[in-house]
PDB file of all heavy atoms in Angstrom:
ATOM      1  N   ARG A  67       5.368  -9.734 -16.076  1.00  0.00           N
ATOM      2  CA  ARG A  67       4.282  -8.804 -15.667  1.00  0.00           C
ATOM      3  C   ARG A  67       4.747  -7.595 -15.041  1.00  0.00           C
ATOM      4  O   ARG A  67       4.205  -6.485 -15.241  1.00  0.00           O
ATOM      5  CB  ARG A  67       3.293  -9.525 -14.745  1.00  0.00           C
ATOM      6  CG  ARG A  67       2.132  -8.795 -14.412  1.00  0.00           C
ATOM      7  CD  ARG A  67       0.906  -9.531 -13.927  1.00  0.00           C
ATOM      8  NE  ARG A  67      -0.165  -8.683 -13.598  1.00  0.00           N
ATOM      9  CZ  ARG A  67      -0.316  -8.113 -12.397  1.00  0.00           C
ATOM     10  NH1 ARG A  67       0.458  -8.461 -11.435  1.00  0.00           N
ATOM     11  NH2 ARG A  67      -1.304  -7.250 -12.139  1.00  0.00           N
ATOM     12  N   SER A  68       5.804  -7.711 -14.229  1.00  0.00           N
ATOM     13  CA  SER A  68       6.277  -6.579 -13.452  1.00  0.00           C
ATOM     14  C   SER A  68       6.800  -5.543 -14.414  1.00  0.00           C
ATOM     15  O   SER A  68       6.491  -4.236 -14.221  1.00  0.00           O
ATOM     16  CB  SER A  68       7.461  -6.908 -12.498  1.00  0.00           C
ATOM     17  OG  SER A  68       7.046  -7.842 -11.567  1.00  0.00           O
ATOM     18  N   ARG A  69       7.546  -5.854 -15.422  1.00  0.00           N
ATOM     19  CA  ARG A  69       8.040  -5.059 -16.464  1.00  0.00           C
ATOM     20  C   ARG A  69       6.863  -4.346 -17.208  1.00  0.00           C
ATOM     21  O   ARG A  69       6.818  -3.150 -17.468  1.00  0.00           O
ATOM     22  CB  ARG A  69       8.929  -5.737 -17.438  1.00  0.00           C
ATOM     23  CG  ARG A  69       9.439  -4.925 -18.551  1.00  0.00           C
ATOM     24  CD  ARG A  69      10.161  -5.582 -19.637  1.00  0.00           C
ATOM     25  NE  ARG A  69      10.293  -4.699 -20.782  1.00  0.00           N
ATOM     26  CZ  ARG A  69      11.192  -3.647 -20.907  1.00  0.00           C
ATOM     27  NH1 ARG A  69      12.032  -3.437 -20.001  1.00  0.00           N
ATOM     28  NH2 ARG A  69      11.147  -2.899 -21.956  1.00  0.00           N
ATOM     29  N   ARG A  70       5.871  -5.200 -17.616  1.00  0.00           N
ATOM     30  CA  ARG A  70       4.691  -4.844 -18.367  1.00  0.00           C
ATOM     31  C   ARG A  70       4.095  -3.583 -17.598  1.00  0.00           C
ATOM     32  O   ARG A  70       3.661  -2.601 -18.130  1.00  0.00           O
ATOM     33  CB  ARG A  70       3.752  -5.930 -18.595  1.00  0.00           C
ATOM     34  CG  ARG A  70       2.572  -5.819 -19.467  1.00  0.00           C
ATOM     35  CD  ARG A  70       2.938  -5.701 -20.948  1.00  0.00           C
ATOM     36  NE  ARG A  70       2.824  -4.269 -21.444  1.00  0.00           N
ATOM     37  CZ  ARG A  70       3.530  -3.744 -22.464  1.00  0.00           C
ATOM     38  NH1 ARG A  70       4.362  -4.449 -23.021  1.00  0.00           N
ATOM     39  NH2 ARG A  70       3.331  -2.493 -22.763  1.00  0.00           N
ATOM     40  N   ARG A  71       3.868  -3.810 -16.304  1.00  0.00           N
ATOM     41  CA  ARG A  71       3.275  -2.786 -15.449  1.00  0.00           C
ATOM     42  C   ARG A  71       3.974  -1.424 -15.508  1.00  0.00           C
ATOM     43  O   ARG A  71       3.285  -0.419 -15.553  1.00  0.00           O
ATOM     44  CB  ARG A  71       3.032  -3.257 -14.069  1.00  0.00           C
ATOM     45  CG  ARG A  71       1.990  -4.252 -13.835  1.00  0.00           C
ATOM     46  CD  ARG A  71       1.873  -4.850 -12.398  1.00  0.00           C
ATOM     47  NE  ARG A  71       1.218  -3.898 -11.499  1.00  0.00           N
ATOM     48  CZ  ARG A  71       1.014  -4.096 -10.196  1.00  0.00           C
ATOM     49  NH1 ARG A  71       1.469  -5.204  -9.630  1.00  0.00           N
ATOM     50  NH2 ARG A  71       0.357  -3.243  -9.456  1.00  0.00           N
ATOM     51  N   VAL A  72       5.220  -1.569 -15.388  1.00  0.00           N
ATOM     52  CA  VAL A  72       6.126  -0.291 -15.469  1.00  0.00           C
ATOM     53  C   VAL A  72       5.987   0.401 -16.769  1.00  0.00           C
ATOM     54  O   VAL A  72       5.808   1.606 -16.877  1.00  0.00           O
ATOM     55  CB  VAL A  72       7.539  -0.571 -15.032  1.00  0.00           C
ATOM     56  CG1 VAL A  72       8.395   0.642 -15.193  1.00  0.00           C
ATOM     57  CG2 VAL A  72       7.599  -1.130 -13.662  1.00  0.00           C
ATOM     58  N   VAL A  73       6.056  -0.440 -17.914  1.00  0.00           N
ATOM     59  CA  VAL A  73       6.080   0.145 -19.272  1.00  0.00           C
ATOM     60  C   VAL A  73       4.689   0.762 -19.533  1.00  0.00           C
ATOM     61  O   VAL A  73       4.708   1.927 -20.086  1.00  0.00           O
ATOM     62  CB  VAL A  73       6.420  -0.948 -20.266  1.00  0.00           C
ATOM     63  CG1 VAL A  73       6.234  -0.391 -21.684  1.00  0.00           C
ATOM     64  CG2 VAL A  73       7.960  -1.359 -20.106  1.00  0.00           C
ATOM     65  N   ASP A  74       3.707   0.092 -19.127  1.00  0.00           N
ATOM     66  CA  ASP A  74       2.295   0.618 -19.350  1.00  0.00           C
ATOM     67  C   ASP A  74       2.148   1.927 -18.605  1.00  0.00           C
ATOM     68  O   ASP A  74       1.501   2.948 -19.045  1.00  0.00           O
ATOM     69  CB  ASP A  74       1.227  -0.358 -18.806  1.00  0.00           C
ATOM     70  CG  ASP A  74       1.069  -1.530 -19.812  1.00  0.00           C
ATOM     71  OD1 ASP A  74       1.651  -1.492 -20.846  1.00  0.00           O
ATOM     72  OD2 ASP A  74       0.328  -2.491 -19.383  1.00  0.00           O
ATOM     73  N   PHE A  75       2.716   1.991 -17.374  1.00  0.00           N
ATOM     74  CA  PHE A  75       2.675   3.238 -16.596  1.00  0.00           C
ATOM     75  C   PHE A  75       3.416   4.295 -17.184  1.00  0.00           C
ATOM     76  O   PHE A  75       2.957   5.472 -17.262  1.00  0.00           O
ATOM     77  CB  PHE A  75       3.171   2.915 -15.167  1.00  0.00           C
ATOM     78  CG  PHE A  75       2.924   3.989 -14.138  1.00  0.00           C
ATOM     79  CD1 PHE A  75       1.695   3.972 -13.480  1.00  0.00           C
ATOM     80  CD2 PHE A  75       3.828   5.036 -13.920  1.00  0.00           C
ATOM     81  CE1 PHE A  75       1.390   5.024 -12.581  1.00  0.00           C
ATOM     82  CE2 PHE A  75       3.552   6.021 -13.053  1.00  0.00           C
ATOM     83  CZ  PHE A  75       2.397   6.029 -12.319  1.00  0.00           C
ATOM     84  N   LEU A  76       4.516   4.062 -17.745  1.00  0.00           N
ATOM     85  CA  LEU A  76       5.381   5.042 -18.410  1.00  0.00           C
ATOM     86  C   LEU A  76       4.628   5.618 -19.649  1.00  0.00           C
ATOM     87  O   LEU A  76       4.798   6.833 -19.933  1.00  0.00           O
ATOM     88  CB  LEU A  76       6.806   4.520 -18.763  1.00  0.00           C
ATOM     89  CG  LEU A  76       7.722   4.254 -17.657  1.00  0.00           C
ATOM     90  CD1 LEU A  76       8.965   3.445 -18.177  1.00  0.00           C
ATOM     91  CD2 LEU A  76       8.167   5.550 -16.993  1.00  0.00           C
ATOM     92  N   ASP A  77       3.882   4.711 -20.365  1.00  0.00           N
ATOM     93  CA  ASP A  77       3.120   5.119 -21.428  1.00  0.00           C
ATOM     94  C   ASP A  77       2.058   6.139 -21.148  1.00  0.00           C
ATOM     95  O   ASP A  77       1.827   7.186 -21.832  1.00  0.00           O
ATOM     96  CB  ASP A  77       2.336   3.903 -22.157  1.00  0.00           C
ATOM     97  CG  ASP A  77       3.288   2.981 -22.936  1.00  0.00           C
ATOM     98  OD1 ASP A  77       4.411   3.462 -23.203  1.00  0.00           O
ATOM     99  OD2 ASP A  77       2.984   1.851 -23.216  1.00  0.00           O
ATOM    100  N   LEU A  78       1.447   6.089 -19.862  1.00  0.00           N
ATOM    101  CA  LEU A  78       0.565   7.081 -19.369  1.00  0.00           C
ATOM    102  C   LEU A  78       1.231   8.458 -19.329  1.00  0.00           C
ATOM    103  O   LEU A  78       0.738   9.392 -19.654  1.00  0.00           O
ATOM    104  CB  LEU A  78       0.018   6.656 -18.024  1.00  0.00           C
ATOM    105  CG  LEU A  78      -0.888   5.369 -18.078  1.00  0.00           C
ATOM    106  CD1 LEU A  78      -1.202   5.180 -16.516  1.00  0.00           C
ATOM    107  CD2 LEU A  78      -2.103   5.570 -18.830  1.00  0.00           C
ATOM    108  N   VAL A  79       2.418   8.435 -18.709  1.00  0.00           N
ATOM    109  CA  VAL A  79       3.190   9.625 -18.531  1.00  0.00           C
ATOM    110  C   VAL A  79       3.640  10.241 -19.888  1.00  0.00           C
ATOM    111  O   VAL A  79       3.528  11.478 -20.111  1.00  0.00           O
ATOM    112  CB  VAL A  79       4.493   9.454 -17.666  1.00  0.00           C
ATOM    113  CG1 VAL A  79       5.233  10.629 -17.457  1.00  0.00           C
ATOM    114  CG2 VAL A  79       3.909   8.926 -16.274  1.00  0.00           C
ATOM    115  N   ARG A  80       4.138   9.390 -20.767  1.00  0.00           N
ATOM    116  CA  ARG A  80       4.535   9.855 -22.073  1.00  0.00           C
ATOM    117  C   ARG A  80       3.370  10.448 -22.850  1.00  0.00           C
ATOM    118  O   ARG A  80       3.439  11.485 -23.455  1.00  0.00           O
ATOM    119  CB  ARG A  80       5.072   8.657 -22.932  1.00  0.00           C
ATOM    120  CG  ARG A  80       6.450   8.266 -22.470  1.00  0.00           C
ATOM    121  CD  ARG A  80       6.993   7.264 -23.492  1.00  0.00           C
ATOM    122  NE  ARG A  80       6.750   5.915 -23.153  1.00  0.00           N
ATOM    123  CZ  ARG A  80       7.478   5.009 -22.449  1.00  0.00           C
ATOM    124  NH1 ARG A  80       8.786   5.427 -22.171  1.00  0.00           N
ATOM    125  NH2 ARG A  80       7.115   3.872 -22.188  1.00  0.00           N
ATOM    126  N   HIS A  81       2.198   9.796 -22.785  1.00  0.00           N
ATOM    127  CA  HIS A  81       0.936  10.340 -23.370  1.00  0.00           C
ATOM    128  C   HIS A  81       0.655  11.703 -22.796  1.00  0.00           C
ATOM    129  O   HIS A  81       0.367  12.613 -23.618  1.00  0.00           O
ATOM    130  CB  HIS A  81      -0.179   9.379 -23.219  1.00  0.00           C
ATOM    131  CG  HIS A  81      -1.425   9.806 -23.850  1.00  0.00           C
ATOM    132  ND1 HIS A  81      -1.666   9.672 -25.206  1.00  0.00           N
ATOM    133  CD2 HIS A  81      -2.543  10.362 -23.282  1.00  0.00           C
ATOM    134  CE1 HIS A  81      -2.885  10.198 -25.517  1.00  0.00           C
ATOM    135  NE2 HIS A  81      -3.490  10.603 -24.325  1.00  0.00           N
ATOM    136  N   ALA A  82       0.609  11.891 -21.506  1.00  0.00           N
ATOM    137  CA  ALA A  82       0.330  13.147 -20.915  1.00  0.00           C
ATOM    138  C   ALA A  82       1.281  14.185 -21.318  1.00  0.00           C
ATOM    139  O   ALA A  82       0.980  15.419 -21.549  1.00  0.00           O
ATOM    140  CB  ALA A  82       0.250  12.978 -19.443  1.00  0.00           C
ATOM    141  N   ALA A  83       2.578  13.842 -21.369  1.00  0.00           N
ATOM    142  CA  ALA A  83       3.571  14.875 -21.722  1.00  0.00           C
ATOM    143  C   ALA A  83       3.799  15.129 -23.240  1.00  0.00           C
ATOM    144  O   ALA A  83       4.395  16.156 -23.532  1.00  0.00           O
ATOM    145  CB  ALA A  83       4.960  14.347 -21.195  1.00  0.00           C
ATOM    146  N   GLY A  84       3.198  14.271 -23.990  1.00  0.00           N
ATOM    147  CA  GLY A  84       3.196  14.470 -25.462  1.00  0.00           C
ATOM    148  C   GLY A  84       4.508  14.124 -26.158  1.00  0.00           C
ATOM    149  O   GLY A  84       4.972  14.798 -27.084  1.00  0.00           O
ATOM    150  N   PHE A  85       5.240  13.115 -25.584  1.00  0.00           N
ATOM    151  CA  PHE A  85       6.506  12.622 -26.225  1.00  0.00           C
ATOM    152  C   PHE A  85       6.532  11.145 -26.157  1.00  0.00           C
ATOM    153  O   PHE A  85       5.715  10.501 -25.521  1.00  0.00           O
ATOM    154  CB  PHE A  85       7.676  13.369 -25.598  1.00  0.00           C
ATOM    155  CG  PHE A  85       8.033  13.024 -24.260  1.00  0.00           C
ATOM    156  CD1 PHE A  85       8.354  11.771 -23.835  1.00  0.00           C
ATOM    157  CD2 PHE A  85       8.042  14.027 -23.281  1.00  0.00           C
ATOM    158  CE1 PHE A  85       8.602  11.524 -22.425  1.00  0.00           C
ATOM    159  CE2 PHE A  85       8.255  13.772 -21.924  1.00  0.00           C
ATOM    160  CZ  PHE A  85       8.563  12.448 -21.596  1.00  0.00           C
ATOM    161  N   ARG A  86       7.455  10.524 -26.933  1.00  0.00           N
ATOM    162  CA  ARG A  86       7.548   9.069 -26.974  1.00  0.00           C
ATOM    163  C   ARG A  86       8.895   8.526 -26.409  1.00  0.00           C
ATOM    164  O   ARG A  86       9.236   7.364 -26.655  1.00  0.00           O
ATOM    165  CB  ARG A  86       7.384   8.662 -28.405  1.00  0.00           C
ATOM    166  CG  ARG A  86       6.006   8.793 -28.926  1.00  0.00           C
ATOM    167  CD  ARG A  86       5.915   8.611 -30.363  1.00  0.00           C
ATOM    168  NE  ARG A  86       4.532   8.629 -30.836  1.00  0.00           N
ATOM    169  CZ  ARG A  86       3.947   7.738 -31.590  1.00  0.00           C
ATOM    170  NH1 ARG A  86       4.659   6.626 -31.978  1.00  0.00           N
ATOM    171  NH2 ARG A  86       2.718   7.879 -31.895  1.00  0.00           N
ATOM    172  N   TYR A  87       9.709   9.427 -25.793  1.00  0.00           N
ATOM    173  CA  TYR A  87      11.003   8.981 -25.378  1.00  0.00           C
ATOM    174  C   TYR A  87      10.969   7.809 -24.381  1.00  0.00           C
ATOM    175  O   TYR A  87      10.127   7.820 -23.581  1.00  0.00           O
ATOM    176  CB  TYR A  87      11.868  10.059 -24.605  1.00  0.00           C
ATOM    177  CG  TYR A  87      11.953  11.276 -25.504  1.00  0.00           C
ATOM    178  CD1 TYR A  87      11.864  12.617 -24.815  1.00  0.00           C
ATOM    179  CD2 TYR A  87      12.197  11.262 -26.813  1.00  0.00           C
ATOM    180  CE1 TYR A  87      12.078  13.734 -25.561  1.00  0.00           C
ATOM    181  CE2 TYR A  87      12.262  12.399 -27.546  1.00  0.00           C
ATOM    182  CZ  TYR A  87      12.227  13.608 -26.900  1.00  0.00           C
ATOM    183  OH  TYR A  87      12.325  14.793 -27.703  1.00  0.00           O
ATOM    184  N   LYS A  88      11.831   6.797 -24.594  1.00  0.00           N
ATOM    185  CA  LYS A  88      11.916   5.629 -23.636  1.00  0.00           C
ATOM    186  C   LYS A  88      12.704   6.135 -22.477  1.00  0.00           C
ATOM    187  O   LYS A  88      13.334   7.197 -22.429  1.00  0.00           O
ATOM    188  CB  LYS A  88      12.618   4.517 -24.303  1.00  0.00           C
ATOM    189  CG  LYS A  88      11.880   4.051 -25.557  1.00  0.00           C
ATOM    190  CD  LYS A  88      10.507   3.491 -25.334  1.00  0.00           C
ATOM    191  CE  LYS A  88       9.857   2.979 -26.585  1.00  0.00           C
ATOM    192  NZ  LYS A  88       8.385   2.699 -26.387  1.00  0.00           N
ATOM    193  N   ALA A  89      12.630   5.282 -21.360  1.00  0.00           N
ATOM    194  CA  ALA A  89      13.313   5.704 -20.181  1.00  0.00           C
ATOM    195  C   ALA A  89      14.193   4.683 -19.501  1.00  0.00           C
ATOM    196  O   ALA A  89      13.895   3.453 -19.616  1.00  0.00           O
ATOM    197  CB  ALA A  89      12.194   6.122 -19.098  1.00  0.00           C
ATOM    198  N   HIS A  90      15.160   5.165 -18.757  1.00  0.00           N
ATOM    199  CA  HIS A  90      15.879   4.428 -17.795  1.00  0.00           C
ATOM    200  C   HIS A  90      15.117   4.515 -16.475  1.00  0.00           C
ATOM    201  O   HIS A  90      14.852   5.519 -16.039  1.00  0.00           O
ATOM    202  CB  HIS A  90      17.274   4.918 -17.574  1.00  0.00           C
ATOM    203  CG  HIS A  90      18.187   4.875 -18.734  1.00  0.00           C
ATOM    204  ND1 HIS A  90      18.827   3.710 -19.083  1.00  0.00           N
ATOM    205  CD2 HIS A  90      18.447   5.855 -19.641  1.00  0.00           C
ATOM    206  CE1 HIS A  90      19.604   3.967 -20.108  1.00  0.00           C
ATOM    207  NE2 HIS A  90      19.355   5.295 -20.525  1.00  0.00           N
ATOM    208  N   VAL A  91      14.727   3.305 -15.903  1.00  0.00           N
ATOM    209  CA  VAL A  91      14.173   3.348 -14.615  1.00  0.00           C
ATOM    210  C   VAL A  91      14.864   2.543 -13.593  1.00  0.00           C
ATOM    211  O   VAL A  91      15.086   1.285 -13.912  1.00  0.00           O
ATOM    212  CB  VAL A  91      12.643   2.875 -14.654  1.00  0.00           C
ATOM    213  CG1 VAL A  91      12.133   2.860 -13.246  1.00  0.00           C
ATOM    214  CG2 VAL A  91      11.797   3.750 -15.591  1.00  0.00           C
ATOM    215  N   GLU A  92      15.420   3.064 -12.548  1.00  0.00           N
ATOM    216  CA  GLU A  92      16.111   2.293 -11.553  1.00  0.00           C
ATOM    217  C   GLU A  92      15.367   2.371 -10.315  1.00  0.00           C
ATOM    218  O   GLU A  92      15.254   3.558  -9.753  1.00  0.00           O
ATOM    219  CB  GLU A  92      17.508   2.782 -11.563  1.00  0.00           C
ATOM    220  CG  GLU A  92      18.517   1.780 -11.039  1.00  0.00           C
ATOM    221  CD  GLU A  92      19.923   2.338 -10.986  1.00  0.00           C
ATOM    222  OE1 GLU A  92      20.325   3.021 -11.978  1.00  0.00           O
ATOM    223  OE2 GLU A  92      20.502   2.259  -9.937  1.00  0.00           O
ATOM    224  N   THR A  93      14.976   1.292  -9.716  1.00  0.00           N
ATOM    225  CA  THR A  93      14.206   1.402  -8.400  1.00  0.00           C
ATOM    226  C   THR A  93      14.807   0.426  -7.338  1.00  0.00           C
ATOM    227  O   THR A  93      15.284  -0.638  -7.703  1.00  0.00           O
ATOM    228  CB  THR A  93      12.679   1.125  -8.747  1.00  0.00           C
ATOM    229  OG1 THR A  93      11.973   1.376  -7.491  1.00  0.00           O
ATOM    230  CG2 THR A  93      12.393  -0.228  -9.260  1.00  0.00           C
ATOM    231  N   LYS A  94      14.846   0.897  -6.110  1.00  0.00           N
ATOM    232  CA  LYS A  94      15.420   0.149  -5.016  1.00  0.00           C
ATOM    233  C   LYS A  94      14.545   0.161  -3.911  1.00  0.00           C
ATOM    234  O   LYS A  94      14.021   1.218  -3.503  1.00  0.00           O
ATOM    235  CB  LYS A  94      16.779   0.786  -4.683  1.00  0.00           C
ATOM    236  CG  LYS A  94      17.840   0.520  -5.677  1.00  0.00           C
ATOM    237  CD  LYS A  94      19.279   0.763  -4.994  1.00  0.00           C
ATOM    238  CE  LYS A  94      20.366   0.487  -5.972  1.00  0.00           C
ATOM    239  NZ  LYS A  94      20.656   1.592  -6.848  1.00  0.00           N
ATOM    240  N   ASN A  95      14.283  -1.009  -3.223  1.00  0.00           N
ATOM    241  CA  ASN A  95      13.559  -1.057  -2.056  1.00  0.00           C
ATOM    242  C   ASN A  95      14.471  -1.403  -0.841  1.00  0.00           C
ATOM    243  O   ASN A  95      15.384  -2.207  -1.059  1.00  0.00           O
ATOM    244  CB  ASN A  95      12.497  -2.227  -2.066  1.00  0.00           C
ATOM    245  CG  ASN A  95      11.371  -1.935  -3.035  1.00  0.00           C
ATOM    246  OD1 ASN A  95      10.856  -0.783  -3.074  1.00  0.00           O
ATOM    247  ND2 ASN A  95      10.953  -2.957  -3.751  1.00  0.00           N
ATOM    248  N   ASP A  96      14.257  -0.747   0.282  1.00  0.00           N
ATOM    249  CA  ASP A  96      15.132  -1.151   1.429  1.00  0.00           C
ATOM    250  C   ASP A  96      14.391  -2.161   2.316  1.00  0.00           C
ATOM    251  O   ASP A  96      14.620  -2.353   3.499  1.00  0.00           O
ATOM    252  CB  ASP A  96      15.706   0.081   2.146  1.00  0.00           C
ATOM    253  CG  ASP A  96      14.584   0.805   2.818  1.00  0.00           C
ATOM    254  OD1 ASP A  96      13.403   0.411   2.815  1.00  0.00           O
ATOM    255  OD2 ASP A  96      14.857   1.888   3.433  1.00  0.00           O
ATOM    256  N   PHE A  97      13.381  -2.907   1.693  1.00  0.00           N
ATOM    257  CA  PHE A  97      12.697  -3.898   2.440  1.00  0.00           C
ATOM    258  C   PHE A  97      12.273  -4.964   1.460  1.00  0.00           C
ATOM    259  O   PHE A  97      12.346  -4.686   0.249  1.00  0.00           O
ATOM    260  CB  PHE A  97      11.429  -3.302   3.177  1.00  0.00           C
ATOM    261  CG  PHE A  97      10.487  -2.644   2.171  1.00  0.00           C
ATOM    262  CD1 PHE A  97       9.306  -3.210   1.679  1.00  0.00           C
ATOM    263  CD2 PHE A  97      10.687  -1.323   1.758  1.00  0.00           C
ATOM    264  CE1 PHE A  97       8.490  -2.715   0.800  1.00  0.00           C
ATOM    265  CE2 PHE A  97       9.800  -0.668   0.866  1.00  0.00           C
ATOM    266  CZ  PHE A  97       8.715  -1.389   0.409  1.00  0.00           C
ATOM    267  N   PRO A  98      11.829  -6.203   1.924  1.00  0.00           N
ATOM    268  CA  PRO A  98      11.605  -7.301   0.830  1.00  0.00           C
ATOM    269  C   PRO A  98      10.497  -6.946  -0.088  1.00  0.00           C
ATOM    270  O   PRO A  98       9.378  -6.510   0.354  1.00  0.00           O
ATOM    271  CB  PRO A  98      11.190  -8.434   1.718  1.00  0.00           C
ATOM    272  CG  PRO A  98      11.579  -8.159   3.150  1.00  0.00           C
ATOM    273  CD  PRO A  98      11.625  -6.580   3.249  1.00  0.00           C
ATOM    274  N   THR A  99      10.703  -7.136  -1.403  1.00  0.00           N
ATOM    275  CA  THR A  99       9.720  -6.875  -2.452  1.00  0.00           C
ATOM    276  C   THR A  99       8.726  -8.011  -2.441  1.00  0.00           C
ATOM    277  O   THR A  99       9.059  -9.138  -2.283  1.00  0.00           O
ATOM    278  CB  THR A  99      10.564  -6.812  -3.769  1.00  0.00           C
ATOM    279  OG1 THR A  99      11.460  -5.796  -3.670  1.00  0.00           O
ATOM    280  CG2 THR A  99       9.564  -6.545  -4.886  1.00  0.00           C
ATOM    281  N   ALA A 100       7.504  -7.654  -2.683  1.00  0.00           N
ATOM    282  CA  ALA A 100       6.403  -8.624  -2.975  1.00  0.00           C
ATOM    283  C   ALA A 100       6.229  -9.691  -1.781  1.00  0.00           C
ATOM    284  O   ALA A 100       6.019 -10.833  -1.964  1.00  0.00           O
ATOM    285  CB  ALA A 100       6.574  -9.359  -4.223  1.00  0.00           C
ATOM    286  N   ALA A 101       6.413  -9.151  -0.578  1.00  0.00           N
ATOM    287  CA  ALA A 101       6.290 -10.165   0.517  1.00  0.00           C
ATOM    288  C   ALA A 101       5.140  -9.723   1.483  1.00  0.00           C
ATOM    289  O   ALA A 101       5.090  -9.943   2.629  1.00  0.00           O
ATOM    290  CB  ALA A 101       7.580 -10.129   1.359  1.00  0.00           C
ATOM    291  N   GLY A 102       4.126  -9.039   0.836  1.00  0.00           N
ATOM    292  CA  GLY A 102       2.979  -8.600   1.644  1.00  0.00           C
ATOM    293  C   GLY A 102       3.268  -7.287   2.349  1.00  0.00           C
ATOM    294  O   GLY A 102       2.583  -6.880   3.258  1.00  0.00           O
TER     295      GLY A 102
END
Side-chain angles (χ1 to χ4, degrees):
R67 184 162 179 270
S68 300
R69 178 187 163 81
R70 188 73 253 154
R71 284 177 79 179
V72 172
V73 171
D74 287 350
F75 191 85
L76 291 169
D77 285 343
L78 296 173
V79 175
R80 285 187 272 259
H81 180 75
F85 63 65
R86 290 170 175 231
Y87 304 144
K88 303 296 183 190
H90 295 276
V91 176
E92 206 178 310
T93 186
K94 288 197 176 83
N95 290 318
D96 65 5
F97 58 96
T99 300

